Amino acid sequence: MKKIIFIILVGGALLALTSCNEESNEIDGEFTQSESTASESVAPATQSQTSEVTTEKLTDELPDNLPPIVELSEIGYTEVVPPKYDEVKNFSDGYAAVRLGDKWGFIDITGKEVVPCNYDDIRDWAFKDGFAAVRIGGNYDTDSSAKWGYVNTTGRVVVPIKHNSLGPFSEGLTVGRVGDWSSEVSEYSIYDKAGVGVILACNNISDFSEGLAVISVGTYNSAKSGFVDKTGNTIIPIKYSGAGSFSEGLAAVKNNWGSWGFIDKEVNEIISFKYSEAGRFSEGMAAVKRGSKWGFIDKDGNEVISNKYDSVYGFFNGFAMVELDKKFGFIDKTGAEAVALEYTQLFNDNYTGSSWGWSNFNNDGFIVLSLNGKVGVFDRGGKEIVPFKYDEIRDYSEGMIIVKAGDKSGFVDMATGREAVSCRYDDVRGFSEGLAAVKLDGSWGFVDKSGNEVVPLEYFLVNDFSGGLAKVILDGEWGFVDKLGNSALELIEGLISNFHGGVAWIRDTERGGWGIIDTEGKVIVPNGKYSPMTGTSEHSDGMMIVKLDGKYGFIKFE
């Protein structure tokens, strides 16, 4: 047994300790028992089969009676931005959003305020492709007095701040609207990244696709649609009762009698108007609906797959998922069943909104289905990734997914579909830095992606690895282990937070205050300089948020 002795806790178990002071509470909750670490949850087979996930973690309550920190040489740091802001966001691509009072702006990595703090809101708190959407006045979602525009990284307003709604850039263009949604006619503007725009009077413009955007004019019940190019010129007459975006050179449009067909960019009627609904082309095939049933046509209008399905999904790698009588399967481009229609979808309110979704595929192209009370995973091409033999699937992280058989859990490697870690543990958590916490017979340890127990299962509680170290409790004493299960930071005495991005807060109770150390125990920031914060991290630009007297700034490690 590897003994790890940093602090001998007095007055009872660690979980019962109380915090030192109001500032130290900012670290509290970082290690809370029964705290879920799920980043992407996947539903169990049925709601009745849902089991409570116990992802136990260490508490970070702070006792007062701790020994002093051993003196170590300082690495040093540079205070790039003195703590003066009321709120800051992490740096991203060299810029960070900052707030003074109730106004937002941006600073660069030198601390220069490149966008003045003049704005009530910033969308996503970051620049995207060199532009940030900013708001003056109103409320983000509902207040019609909210005005949006775009600024660039020099602070110059590129798109005027006058729009009630403003879309993201797509194909180098963004579309802004001036006017209430209830208005029959609004002022829409199309802007390029130089801020050059053209104003159009209409009631809607879609995002651009293949160089064209759908434009609608008229009242809701009698609106007509056509297509405009990137200069705002009408390329396809505004005469259709509805229209979808172009895909593979064709667009679905609806005539005055409510039937859908397809046209090309020269306004030629390629596929006749005879469908009640129509989708976009994908891999040369488009979903079309007759009455209440869906099928597929090719780009010549041939009905390749008859209209007999209740719902269908676009083709991917030659296959499409289809539904009939609440049963799901996959067909190929001839209509042959590549995967029999015998699977059911999972509906569980606990997982609504998950990126895995139940009516579509997640961003990685996976979908979870159920068969005979067991769950498994298909990809978009109908390939079975995870066999249908598990009772629960959850927590996709670092290419691994947690699976549960009966009351035991393990991991499946999504790249191979192989059960890389057998279902023999009482509880598991997702992978972090290549290792996952597992629990058996009341004790925690860590396994790698091959199922090897690299850190012995002997700890009362553990946290996930961060910066190559994990915080653990053994025999009422807490400390850190490395990825080989060896004890770490043996020279340090004092209360240490979790490591984030290779650094951690450490408290010196004899002299007071908190400092920052690296994973080798070297002091980066001396004690008492800044207030401790939850989620200490060295960000991608090498900057770290610090707090002093209720204000925030940034330091950079030397």
Side-chain angles (χ1 to χ4, degrees), residues 50 57 73 78 130 135 166 168 216 221 227 248 250 285 293 300 309 325 374 403 479:
T50 303
K57 285 192 170 184
S73 60
T78 300
R135 172 173 64 83
L166 187 64
S216 298
N221 292 326
F227 293 82
E248 298 185 3
L250 299 178
M285 305 282 279
K293 298 294 183 180
D300 293 322
Y309 298 106
D325 299 329
K374 300 295 183 180
V403 293

Side-chain angles (χ1 to χ4, degrees), residues 222-238:
S222 62
K224 298 297 182 182
S225 298
F227 293 82
V228 295
D229 64 13
K230 294 183 176 183
T231 65
N233 293 320
T234 300
I235 302 301
I236 296 176
I238 302 172

Side-chain angles (χ1 to χ4, degrees), residues 268-290:
N268 298 310
E269 183 183 310
I270 304 301
I271 298 170
S272 59
F273 294 83
K274 56 184 177 182
Y275 300 105
S276 56
E277 290 187 50
R280 292 163 55 92
F281 272 92
S282 174
E283 297 188 358
M285 305 282 279
V288 291
K289 189 177 184 181
R290 281 182 181 271

